[in-house]
Each structure stands twice: as structure tokens, then as C-alpha cells.
Amino acid sequence: DQQVKQNSPSLSVQEGRISILNCDYTNSMFDYFLWYKKYPAEGPTFLISISSIKDKNEDGRFTVFLNKSAKHLSLHIVPSQPGDSAVYFCAASPNNNDMRFGAGTRLTVKP
Amino acid sequence: DARVTQTPRHKVTEMGQEVTMRCQPILGHNTVFWYRQTMMQGLELLAYFRNRAPLDDSGMPKDRFSAEMPDATLATLKIQPSEPRDSAVYFCASGLGGALPEQYFGPGTRLTVT
């Protein structure tokens, strides 16, 4: 039962342009959402998060948007850089501990 | 530089053998998680502990998998007997829990069961 879905397995963008990664969830009890970034042969690393009481959180080039009514969140990276090429996982938690991850989206930023 | 460590990094074993994976969480973290990454399912939560007590292991096949925390510095995930379908990358993560839900992942153990 995939409660967190990332429907795009891959995304390719040009350096300098915007990358938009999408995530949908089904469990209305989720109240905290996170994005993780994963390079090959490494564990995922925390990137940015958002609480359900907000609809936007920004950290440098990374912004996460949350649309609770649509049960949808997105990660925007502007401008995209080749070093951003990685697999991005969306995660959601109903209680700040038990976390469910999506299947990941592989982002490729072309120079 | 605090980080989660996992051993071994790679393990190749034959079907039916016992496999033990170890994790050292970040000192001071009170929650520990085991995940399995597969191509189809992404990151699946297998089990997690808070203050060494198991809180949820519903994601784990009970007949062959077991997870324990003998002490605050060691978490183990054991598979007995192992099967080819267990081949995956197993990640351990730790965190402070509560208002800081971010989890810090180890580098993973790549398990291949032939």
C-alpha cells in the first residue's frame, strides 16, 4: 500500500532551469513532509521539510510547496545545478517518527 | 563528524544462510529505523525503535526477519533463513524524534542472496 507516491521515476532538466519534483499522498493523517536526496552508494540525506500548518518552506535554491486539499507536495530547485543530479525521495509522517517514503525520482541536470 | 555507521557494506550469501546487519546510530539519538530499498518499492520501513524499545515492526516479514537493539549504540537486523527475494540495500537511520523528525541515514548494506 503506497501511501506516498512519486509518479515520475525520472526527470531531466537543463542547468540553470527550474526542476520540479512532485509527490502525492493518500493518508490525511500525515502532518509532516520531507524531501531527501540520495547519491549512488550513499544513504539518503535530509534536504528540506514542511509542516502541515504551512504551504511553503524555502531554503536557498530549494522550496517545498504543500497543497493539503490536493494531498500534493512539490520540490522546486532554482536554479538547477549539475551537482543536484541525484534521486529525490519524498517522505511523510503522521507522528514525526513513523515515516513513509515514495519510490524516488531520479533527477538529471545537464550542463 | 557524527554519522550512522553500518556493517557490512556488502554481503553476498547463499539462500538459507543467516545474515546479520549491524548499525551504530548517532550518539544521543533515541530513535532507530531499518529500511529496505528495492527498485519497485523505494524505501520500505521495516522496523523502528525508540529508546531501544521496538515500536513498529509491521513492515517486516516476521517469520524470517528480526530486529533488536542490544544497547543504545547497536541495532541489528537479522534474516534467517535468507532468500533471493531479500536481495536489496538495507539502510539504518537514527533521529531525535519528537519535534525534530529528520532522520540521518547510514550508507547501507547491499545484500545479495544467491
Side-chain angles (χ1 to χ4, degrees), chain B residues 75-91:
Chain B
T76 62
L77 180 66
K78 191 173 295 186
I79 308 174
Q80 167 64 15
S82 58
E83 297 180 1
R85 59 179 167 153
D86 301 329
S87 298
V89 180
Y90 291 80
F91 289 104

Side-chain angles (χ1 to χ4, degrees), chain A residues 8-29:
Chain A
S8 298
S10 64
L11 174 68
S12 180
V13 300
Q14 206 66 37
E15 181 179 6
R17 306 295 290 268
I18 184 171
S19 294
I20 300 176
L21 297 99
N22 294 303
C23 177
D24 298 292
Y25 61 95
T26 57
N27 189 340
S28 58
M29 297 301 292

Side-chain angles (χ1 to χ4, degrees), chain B residues 59-98:
Chain B
M60 213 163 60
K62 300 290 190 305
D63 56 338
R64 299 184 299 108
F65 284 59
S66 62
E68 296 179 349
M69 278 201 75
D71 60 60
T73 64
L74 177 65
T76 62
L77 180 66
K78 191 173 295 186
I79 308 174
Q80 167 64 15
S82 58
E83 297 180 1
R85 59 179 167 153
D86 301 329
S87 298
V89 180
Y90 291 80
F91 289 104
C92 173
S94 71
L96 291 168

